[in-house]
Amino acid sequence: MDETEIRRLSVGHVFSILAVVFSLCIPPLFLDNFSLLETHVTWLCICSACVAAVNVILLLTLKPNPSSKRISFGTKVNKFSKSCIYFLISCLLFHGIIVLYGAPLVESVPETFIFSVLLSSLTTSRCLCILGPNFPAWVRVFSRDGAMSVWDHSLQITTVCSVVGAWLGAFPIPLDWDRPWQVWPISCSLGATFGYMCGLLLAPAWIYWNRKKLTYKSR
Amino acid sequence: MKRLPVVLFLAWLSLLFYSSIWLFMSGFLLMRIELNNQSSCAEPPPPGVPKTLQPDQAPCWFPLKFQKAVIVIIDALKYDFAKYDPENTDPKPFQNKLEVIHHLTQTQPLHARLYPFRADPPTTTMQRIKGVTTGSLPTFVDVGSNFASYAIQEDNLIHQLVQNGKKVVFMGDDTWDGLFPKKFYKSYFFPSFNVKDLHTVDDGIFRHLYPTVDGGDWDVLIAHFLGVDHCGHKHGPDHPETAKKLAQMNDMIRSLIEHLDDSTLLVVAGDHGMTDTGDHGGDSEKEVNAALFLYSKAPLFGGQLETDPDAVPQVNLVPTLALLLGIPIPYSNLGAVMGDLFHSVHSEASAYQINAQQVDRFLHSYSLAAGDLPAEKLRHLKDLFSSVTEEYERLMSTWSESAALSESDASLQKLVRRQQRYLVEARAVCMESWARFHPLRMIAGCTILSLCCLLCYLVSAAGPSLNVTYKYFLGLPACWSLGTALLLSLGVWTSVLDLDSVSLCFWVSLASLLSFFYYFRKRSCIKNKPRSRSSSLLLSMPSVVLFFRCCSLFSDSFVVAEGEVAPYLLTFLLTVTVAKLHWDGRLTLPIFTPIGSETLKPTLSPSYKREAPRLLGLLLVLTVCVRLSGVFHSCREETPDCQPSPLLAPLASVQDAQIKNLWYMVCVVFLCVIVYLLRKWLQHYGNLNSSSPVVLYVRWGFPLVAMGISCFWALSCGTDDSLTKLQDFTRLALVTFPRVIYALTCLGLLLVIWNPVTVFTKKSRDSDADNTVTTYHGTPGSEAELLHVIPQIYRKMQRNLKNRLQQGTEEKEGKKTAAVEAFGLGSVYSAAMVVTLTLLALVLLMLHSERLTPSFFLLLLEAGLVLYIHSHVANLRSSPDGAELFLVPWYAVTAWTLAATQGFYTTGHQPVFPAIHWNAAFVGFQDGHNNSIVLPAMLVAANTFSSHILFSAGSVLLLLWPFLCEAPIARRKKPKAEPRDGKTRRMTCQ
């Protein structure tokens, strides 16, 4: 088990967490009336943009799945455009799933869509950065023995944590506390973000703890 | 397995469940009977109006003091808001704002007084209005003559005022409109729905208040302000908006007083308080403590008080106002008059006496109508009352002779205290049985219930290994419970023990349960079975969902939102089940090319490509169904924003003829689709070829039932005036059609019970017809031709051999045994169940309003989809020998119950009395039931619990469905059975 790989992973995760923190701390300096709850949609946009951007930067700097082959510029462009399409599809899919899970169909469509964009950038953008626009590979990673590197493991953990966080986030909505954060979709997006951050913290710890048991097939 | 012990065991188990539920209900479901009796001037409560007040002095029980009254109710006016503390230099936003009250109480102590006003929980506005007009105590269920409306049925102040010719004008909160429909002489209602809206109601009142007061066309004016309450909900009390709102109320009171004359009484009251966050509803000190302010330009009080006045229970306002305004006290009142509003001790004693007589009369009538008040306490109260009455009669007779003696004054004072004691005790007795939960009973019920669940879990987990004698698990616990019952009742009989029936029930159930656990442990210890599986089961996803569901039942908000929670959990549970299947690699992993190969791209195996989209598709259709069926929802009063679905109204209420026809067609189409799908299903699994009477019924009976229902709908929604000539006919038909359908259903159910097997059998000789080898119509000599012909030749040889062997054995045994070929064996059990369920669904559908047909269709579809997903998952999960197929996994049971709960809401129900569909009682009994109560109760219950009935009757299918041979593994093992005659299908599994 390569310790340096875990170290690289942890650094990447710290940057990802910083991206979320950044989206909370920086905007008040530039925007008037910015607050997490009252201008929630703005924050959602900024947060998803930050997370996605950091993911892309990490892809370029850390290179989780280095390929031995030299990739031509044309393939790169092709990959990039494919990734964009995948991301868009995942946004729409998430929107549909959220509505099927009980979100209002007609009212507050923009909020629901922005929330699905956030979920996509928490889950799909990481998948795209680590695995590339390769759907069979995604299917492979999300099964019991499918992880082939620490990056795959961290992907599993953060994705599941984000989705479960979003699911748990819906629980306070019916309560009659009349709090501002019980409004759709604030609690869910906070739950998803919180779950994502938990996953980011949890993944390196879990991998380090189980480093003896984890053996990866050589690629 | 023997049948009788199993049935007895299940009966014992359900008895335990019932007793635990009864225990819980006896502590939780507080109940009270509403009496419909009304007080009237002509009939004062026995022994009649005291002689000293008769006859000209008291036209109606008691001489009136005020001609007019203005009652201002400020919602959520806490005592802290009204109290003024001059020493407080740094008041919070809600303090020291009602300065006019302080000013009046200081300068005119004989005219004005401020009391703490104790509300009875629950402190919700509607319950408080009820309490402050009827004088009765709130409870969980008010069993009245009419469940279906919110209107107050009991005798109340408003009713008495109207009865005695007073003009009552109302302005403000429109809750009053629902409670007192068409009672007011004049009314100005404003919507109270929007809690965020602070001003609509209050501004509306201000527009009408002063003109109405000055106009003089009123006797009693009630104004209900909502601003303070809404402000509390929106901002909380500690907010500048509250200060503004209270200042506005202050100005209102001040200018209102300027408009009043001498003969008018002003009452300013809060209906409840609020917590520090601005909420209310519970029984905390802050919510219960409201304010009451009384003022009149004529002197109100006999003397000044040195200290702050004592707290006044909210119901006390009812008799006080009644007597001051010269009207009878409402029949069911339990409040006591406020003594300090009656100047002399003499009139105070008379007022108390009338009040006591009225309470005594009420208690007497109530104990005749219901037996929930303890007899012992009633007897004690009766004694107290008669002694008080005697004393009063004696004192009054001496008082009239020797007027105004100080010693008689003192004895009157003593009498008044005894009268007060009587009233307080009477109220306490009623409160004890109506308004107080019994946590101990609730805990006892919950304990027994959870022990029962544990028992069920143990028995189901032990499963087939529990083949031991029922002596231990049924006989001995029953003996234990009988023994305990005998012992305890002996104790009660010899009055050694003091137990009521509730605790007796608890101890008996507990003894029986504990003895079961004792024997179970003893037996399983002998077997020494390892139990490693149970711990992982407790942490799995279905149990987490189940845990959430159980917890949600303990939260008020989640109970209100149950209609949304159940589908949410259901969708999640099934998604997780499918995802888990993928995670475990049961959907067959992608195959990877070996290491070192050039292409690194993994591909998906063909079986994955087939199974995964099918499962996902089923899941998608299911969630869409679940989401769509949410259209047919009803609403409860706690969610004012919710609009009930317009589809719940009967079709007859639709005005536009074209839309009505369209809807009728849609309903009939859905009905036909249900019947058609059943037929198609039976055909698909090869059960439709059988000659059993059930199949005959499916072929002819079902269309007949569907046709009957459509005719019934057509008649019931189309009874226009144009049909006057045929009125007798339609009335007859409206009764006949449903009854025919009931009869047909009974016939169908009897047929299914009599002969449920729908297997089509065939002698093997008959199948020899297809022994000829068919030729292949393709390119001759190709590999495909060989593949086509060779198996057929092989099969033919096999058949010949078999026949020869059989003939040999037959000759040996000397008799002819026919080889039998059976069709539809895979669905031998499920077919009967599916027929029964569809039949039940059709009848239950007839009890609902017509436009719920799509909802029932979705319900059946949903059940079917859950079953299909379950059978797919079960077959993918099971090992090749299929032993696990006989165990129904937890996720399936949980999903099934969640679907049942969801179905309850999507068939237009809510667990509140006003949402019950009472019309169901008259389907087929248009002219009522001739005082029979069993049949209408059954019909209404069938309507209300239709989803639960369907799902619990169909729970067997969870076990049977995976054997339907639709399973991928079964298909993989055996070649696909060929369709025969285009209709039947040979089912060879099992």
Side-chain angles (χ1 to χ4, degrees):
Chain A
M1 187 69 229
D2 199 2
E3 299 256 338
T4 52
E5 198 67 22
I6 300 181
R7 220 165 288 140
R8 271 154 56 89
L9 178 83
S10 317
V11 172
H13 281 193
V14 168
F15 275 105
S16 295
I17 292 174
L18 281 180
V20 176
V21 176
F22 177 84
S23 73
L24 269 177
C25 301
I26 303 301
L29 302 179
F30 300 104
L31 296 169
D32 296 335
N33 308 325
F34 177 86
S35 83
L36 179 59
L37 298 181
E38 269 154 44
T39 55
H40 189 71
V41 174
T42 323
W43 176 75
L44 277 179
C45 295
I46 294 170
C47 184
S48 5
C50 284
V51 169
V54 166
N55 279 337
V56 172
I57 292 168
L58 288 180
L59 163 76
L60 295 177
T61 52
L62 293 175
K63 294 199 173 52
N65 280 341
S67 173
S68 52
K69 278 192 295 179
R70 279 183 63 87
I71 303 169
S72 69
F73 183 72
T75 342
K76 270 185 183 167
V77 170
N78 188 19
K79 262 193 167 179
F80 180 74
S81 57
K82 228 175 160 186
S83 300
C84 288
I85 292 169
Y86 268 50
F87 188 80
L88 199 70
I89 292 173
S90 103
C91 289
L92 293 175
L93 256 181
F94 267 119
H95 190 102
I97 291 171
I98 292 165
V99 168
L100 283 182
Y101 264 79
L105 179 68
V106 186
E107 299 125 47
S108 56
V109 174
E111 281 89 346
T112 312
F113 187 73
I114 293 289
F115 174 49
S116 70
V117 170
L118 175 81
L119 271 180
S120 298
S121 51
L122 294 184
T123 56
T124 319
S125 76
R126 268 182 78 82
C127 286
L128 284 170
C129 288
I130 292 176
L131 303 170
N134 181 359
F135 189 69
W138 296 12
V139 171
R140 185 254 305 161
V141 165
F142 290 101
S143 60
R144 177 164 288 166
D145 305 316
M148 289 166 84
S149 68
V150 280
W151 294 94
D152 291 358
H153 266 295
S154 98
L155 186 65
Q156 282 178 357
I157 292 171
T158 49
T159 307
V160 170
C161 282
S162 318
V163 173
V164 169
W167 182 70
L168 286 175
F171 277 78
I173 292 177
L175 293 171
D176 58 354
W177 297 343
D178 281 332
R179 297 295 125 188
W181 48 265
Q182 280 179 297
V183 181
W184 170 255
I186 298 180
S187 60
C188 284
S189 55
L190 290 185
T193 318
F194 193 70
Y196 175 66
M197 286 167 58
C198 283
L200 287 175
L201 289 174
L202 202 70
W206 187 84
I207 290 168
Y208 185 75
W209 192 259
N210 289 309
R211 67 188 182 284
K212 297 268 162 56
K213 288 181 212 159
L214 296 174
T215 47
Y216 298 115
K217 285 179 215 154
S218 66
R219 298 169 61 91
Chain B
M1 217 186 286
K2 275 179 258 163
R3 259 189 221 165
L4 189 68
V6 176
V7 171
L8 279 178
F9 185 75
L10 290 177
W12 171 68
L13 204 58
S14 15
L15 206 67
L16 281 178
F17 268 109
Y18 284 134
S19 68
S20 66
I21 291 167
W22 181 64
L23 270 172
F24 183 82
M25 299 260 269
S26 70
F28 179 71
L29 201 63
L30 306 169
M31 220 162 67
R32 179 174 75 102
I33 309 276
E34 277 182 5
L35 299 180
N36 283 342
N37 305 23
Q38 314 273 348
S39 301
S40 71
C41 283
E43 287 175 62
V49 175
K51 287 195 189 70
T52 45
L53 296 173
Q54 277 177 335
D56 49 324
Q57 254 187 314
C60 195
W61 296 22
F62 202 77
L64 93 166
K65 248 179 106 176
F66 290 98
Q67 290 289 349
K68 293 171 142 193
V70 176
I71 301 167
V72 176
I73 292 175
I74 300 176
D75 217 290
L77 182 71
K78 228 170 142 177
Y79 186 64
D80 297 357
F81 294 174
K83 186 87 192 134
Y84 190 89
D85 184 8
E87 286 157 24
N88 189 349
T89 50
D90 181 26
K92 288 189 174 161
F94 59 87
Q95 285 172 330
N96 289 2
K97 286 294 173 297
L98 293 178
E99 155 280 320
V100 60
I101 291 180
H102 175 69
H103 175 75
L104 288 172
T105 45
Q106 290 304 308
T107 54
Q108 307 175 353
L110 292 185
H111 295 257
R113 195 167 284 177
L114 175 70
Y115 299 90
F117 201 35
R118 305 282 302 182
D120 299 300
T123 48
T124 56
T125 298
M126 197 169 84
Q127 289 290 348
R128 290 304 83 233
I129 294 174
K130 239 175 163 173
V132 94
T133 53
T134 61
S136 65
L137 297 168
T139 180
F140 208 83
V141 183
D142 290 330
V143 183
S145 53
N146 186 4
F147 278 127
S149 102
Y150 295 114
I152 294 182
Q153 311 283 319
E154 278 184 307
D155 195 9
N156 57 63
L157 265 185
I158 310 294
H159 176 79
Q160 286 300 339
L161 286 167
V162 175
Q163 198 83 342
N164 290 285
K166 306 256 183 196
K167 293 172 186 162
V168 186
V169 177
F170 179 83
M171 47 189 74
D173 185 356
D174 61 357
T175 313
W176 289 69
D177 189 23
L179 294 176
F180 307 99
K182 299 191 182 102
K183 288 274 185 192
F184 300 111
Y185 176 70
K186 241 196 270 173
S187 52
Y188 308 95
F189 296 117
F190 302 99
S192 59
F193 279 164
N194 190 356
V195 183
K196 302 272 147 82
D197 174 9
L198 303 186
H199 300 296
T200 308
V201 178
D202 293 5
D203 291 347
I205 299 175
F206 284 128
R207 266 204 309 283
H208 296 290
L209 182 61
Y210 304 121
T212 312
V213 171
D214 294 336
D217 191 19
W218 56 275
D219 291 308
V220 174
L221 194 154
I222 305 171
H224 191 146
F225 290 89
L226 282 178
V228 178
D229 182 48
H230 285 189
C231 194
H233 282 301
K234 194 178 173 190
H235 303 292
D238 210 352
H239 192 275
E241 278 295 325
T242 315
K244 269 190 224 164
K245 210 69 223 179
L246 286 174
Q248 193 186 16
M249 292 296 119
N250 190 42
D251 294 342
M252 182 270 298
I253 296 171
R254 178 178 300 131
S255 45
L256 185 61
I257 283 169
E258 285 164 16
H259 289 263
L260 298 180
D261 57 13
D262 280 358
S263 61
T264 308
L265 173 71
L266 172 68
V267 180
V268 178
D271 57 348
H272 50 74
M274 61 167 80
T275 60
D276 291 338
T277 53
D279 300 320
H280 58 85
D283 58 352
S284 73
E285 182 62 31
K286 282 180 173 147
E287 289 160 281
V288 161
N289 213 358
L292 172 69
F293 173 68
L294 297 176
Y295 174 80
S296 160
K297 288 198 171 162
L300 256 178
F301 302 100
Q304 251 176 286
L305 279 181
E306 299 304 319
T307 55
D308 281 348
D310 290 335
V312 179
Q314 214 168 49
V315 283
N316 287 12
L317 191 64
V318 176
T320 314
L321 274 180
L323 293 186
L324 287 178
L325 292 170
I327 57 170
I329 303 177
Y331 197 91
S332 314
N333 162 59
L334 280 169
V337 289
M338 293 157 66
D340 46 5
L341 282 159
F342 300 87
H343 292 296
S344 63
V345 183
H346 171 250
S347 84
E348 195 180 338
S350 304
Y352 272 121
Q353 183 58 29
I354 295 260
N355 194 195
Q357 287 174 8
Q358 171 265 324
V359 168
D360 178 65
R361 178 175 72 172
F362 168 68
L363 286 181
H364 181 70
S365 326
Y366 188 84
S367 60
L368 288 181
D372 56 347
L373 295 179
E376 205 177 306
K377 296 212 168 122
L378 279 177
R379 213 177 306 121
H380 168 71
L381 282 175
K382 194 87 196 162
D383 292 345
L384 202 61
F385 172 72
S386 45
S387 75
V388 165
T389 313
E390 241 169 62
E391 175 83 3
Y392 176 78
E393 297 280 337
R394 196 179 60 75
L395 279 175
M396 279 299 138
S397 54
T398 53
W399 185 81
S400 51
E401 287 158 14
S402 55
L405 276 177
S406 59
E407 68 186 77
S408 80
D409 253 18
S411 47
L412 267 178
Q413 291 276 9
K414 219 192 259 168
L415 173 68
V416 163
R417 268 198 293 281
R418 286 182 62 189
Q419 285 166 328
Q420 279 173 337
R421 210 185 94 208
Y422 169 74
L423 290 168
V424 167
E425 276 185 25
R427 191 163 156 265
V429 166
C430 292
M431 184 117 83
E432 179 79 21
S433 86
W434 296 341
R436 196 156 296 159
F437 293 123
H438 300 276
L440 211 62
R441 288 181 185 184
M442 281 150 71
I443 291 171
C446 284
T447 314
I448 298 283
L449 198 62
S450 38
L451 283 178
C452 284
C453 291
L454 182 67
L455 189 153
C456 285
Y457 172 71
L458 283 179
V459 170
S460 69
S465 67
L466 193 79
N467 54 359
V468 287
T469 47
Y470 278 87
K471 182 184 146 201
Y472 286 101
F473 295 150
L474 179 63
L476 288 178
C479 288
W480 269 96
S481 56
L482 268 180
T484 325
L486 275 177
L487 204 71
L488 288 178
S489 43
L490 195 75
V492 173
W493 185 55
T494 53
S495 58
V496 179
L497 288 165
D498 184 26
L499 280 173
D500 51 1
S501 56
V502 176
S503 41
L504 193 77
C505 167
F506 170 69
W507 289 116
V508 169
S509 330
L510 194 68
S512 132
L513 274 170
L514 287 182
S515 62
F516 174 86
F517 286 127
Y518 173 71
Y519 289 116
F520 189 84
R521 190 165 170 71
K522 219 165 125 188
R523 302 292 291 188
S524 58
C525 274
I526 294 166
K527 281 188 204 151
N528 214 355
K529 217 178 99 201
R531 308 189 138 270
S532 57
R533 225 165 53 96
S534 56
S535 62
S536 66
L537 189 78
L538 283 178
L539 290 172
S540 67
M541 216 54 214
S543 32
V544 170
V545 169
L546 200 63
F547 176 74
F548 275 130
R549 169 99 182 98
C550 286
C551 291
S552 78
L553 293 178
F554 287 94
S555 156
D556 179 39
S557 317
F558 276 107
V559 169
V560 171
E562 200 185 17
E564 284 104 55
V565 174
Y568 187 70
L569 290 178
L570 174 68
T571 320
F572 177 75
L573 181 61
L574 289 176
T575 317
V576 165
T577 309
V578 174
K580 182 89 186 345
L581 213 60
H582 165 72
W583 175 261
D584 287 343
R586 294 287 180 166
L587 286 175
T588 320
L589 272 177
I591 304 157
F592 294 103
T593 44
I595 310 157
S597 150
E598 275 303 296
T599 50
L600 259 173
K601 201 176 173 184
T603 50
L604 298 175
S605 73
S607 85
Y608 189 94
K609 272 189 180 149
R610 202 175 59 233
E611 286 305 324
R614 182 178 295 162
L615 265 177
L616 284 179
L618 284 173
L619 198 62
L620 182 75
V621 178
L622 177 82
T623 41
V624 170
C625 276
V626 168
R627 193 78 171 85
L628 268 184
S629 55
V631 172
F632 303 91
H633 66 284
S634 171
C635 291
R636 53 195 288 168
E637 55 187 297
E638 285 93 336
T639 48
D641 298 337
C642 164
Q643 288 292 320
S645 165
L647 302 178
L648 296 180
L651 205 51
S653 67
V654 176
Q655 296 297 325
D656 191 338
Q658 211 166 356
I659 294 176
K660 196 193 249 184
N661 286 340
L662 193 69
W663 264 113
Y664 179 74
M665 288 318 292
V666 168
C667 294
V668 170
V669 164
F670 271 106
L671 193 68
C672 294
V673 165
I674 291 176
V675 173
Y676 175 75
L677 278 184
L678 171 75
R679 213 186 136 102
K680 208 71 197 151
W681 189 87
L682 285 176
Q683 192 180 340
H684 180 77
Y685 288 106
N687 294 82
L688 206 63
N689 274 19
S690 156
S691 55
S692 87
V694 175
V695 171
L696 206 68
Y697 187 83
V698 171
R699 277 173 184 275
W700 300 108
F702 268 95
L704 212 62
V705 169
M707 207 176 73
I709 293 177
S710 348
C711 290
F712 170 63
W713 285 345
L715 285 171
S716 64
C717 71
T719 42
D720 286 323
D721 303 330
S722 58
L723 291 168
T724 37
K725 283 178 202 161
L726 297 169
Q727 218 163 36
D728 289 337
F729 170 72
T730 40
R731 187 168 296 165
L732 186 73
L734 275 178
V735 175
T736 318
F737 273 115
R739 290 192 186 181
V740 168
I741 289 165
Y742 292 142
L744 270 175
T745 312
C746 290
L747 179 74
L749 290 179
L750 282 176
L751 280 179
V752 172
I753 292 171
W754 176 54
N755 184 10
V757 181
T758 52
V759 175
F760 177 50
T761 54
K762 213 176 176 186
K763 297 262 173 63
S764 65
R765 300 283 152 73
D766 304 340
S767 65
D768 286 354
D770 60 350
N771 261 352
T772 49
V773 178
T774 54
T775 47
Y776 180 71
H777 305 287
T779 43
S782 68
E783 197 182 348
E785 191 188 8
L786 289 180
L787 280 178
H788 178 76
V789 174
I790 289 172
Q792 292 196 40
I793 296 171
Y794 169 72
R795 241 177 271 146
K796 184 173 176 175
M797 284 166 66
Q798 197 183 21
R799 222 174 281 139
N800 283 339
L801 266 175
K802 209 192 265 172
N803 282 350
R804 215 170 290 159
L805 277 173
Q806 268 175 359
Q807 274 166 4
T809 50
E810 274 166 24
E811 279 163 14
K812 264 184 205 161
E813 288 169 17
K815 59 182 177 181
K816 200 172 178 183
T817 52
V820 170
E821 224 172 295
F823 296 89
L825 259 184
S827 52
V828 58
Y829 295 114
S830 10
M833 274 322 293
V834 168
V835 170
T836 315
L837 281 185
T838 318
L839 201 55
L840 278 178
L842 287 184
V843 174
L844 293 174
L845 171 59
M846 192 179 63
L847 295 178
H848 282 79
S849 104
E850 298 88 345
R851 281 184 288 175
L852 281 173
T853 321
S855 151
F856 266 82
F857 172 71
L858 286 175
L859 188 80
L860 291 176
L861 195 63
E862 202 185 306
L865 285 168
V866 170
L867 285 172
Y868 269 111
I869 291 177
H870 164 57
S871 78
H872 269 272
V873 173
N875 279 304
L876 285 172
R877 265 190 185 177
S878 67
S879 48
D881 62 340
E884 285 153 42
L885 285 180
F886 286 95
L887 295 175
V888 181
W890 278 90
Y891 79 86
V893 182
T894 316
W896 197 247
T897 50
L898 283 173
T901 313
Q902 196 241 346
F904 173 76
Y905 290 94
T906 56
T907 46
H909 295 287
Q910 282 285 343
V912 286
F913 279 116
I916 292 179
H917 301 176
W918 299 105
N919 290 339
F922 303 104
V923 174
F925 300 91
Q926 232 67 10
D927 309 318
H929 287 273
N930 297 330
N931 293 329
S932 143
I933 193 144
V934 182
L935 201 60
M938 267 171 59
L939 288 175
V940 170
N943 171 294
T944 307
F945 297 109
S946 45
S947 149
H948 289 112
I949 290 171
L950 283 177
F951 274 91
S952 49
S955 55
V956 195
L957 289 174
L958 287 178
L959 176 65
L960 301 176
W961 210 269
F963 294 110
L964 273 182
C965 263
E966 202 62 3
I969 283 195
R971 200 185 292 156
R972 227 176 290 145
K973 278 196 298 188
K974 299 202 170 109
K976 203 174 153 193
E978 293 130 31
R980 293 167 49 86
D981 317 337
K983 266 188 182 177
T984 54
R985 191 158 187 183
R986 194 191 300 188
M987 290 301 148
T988 39
C989 72
Q990 266 203 324

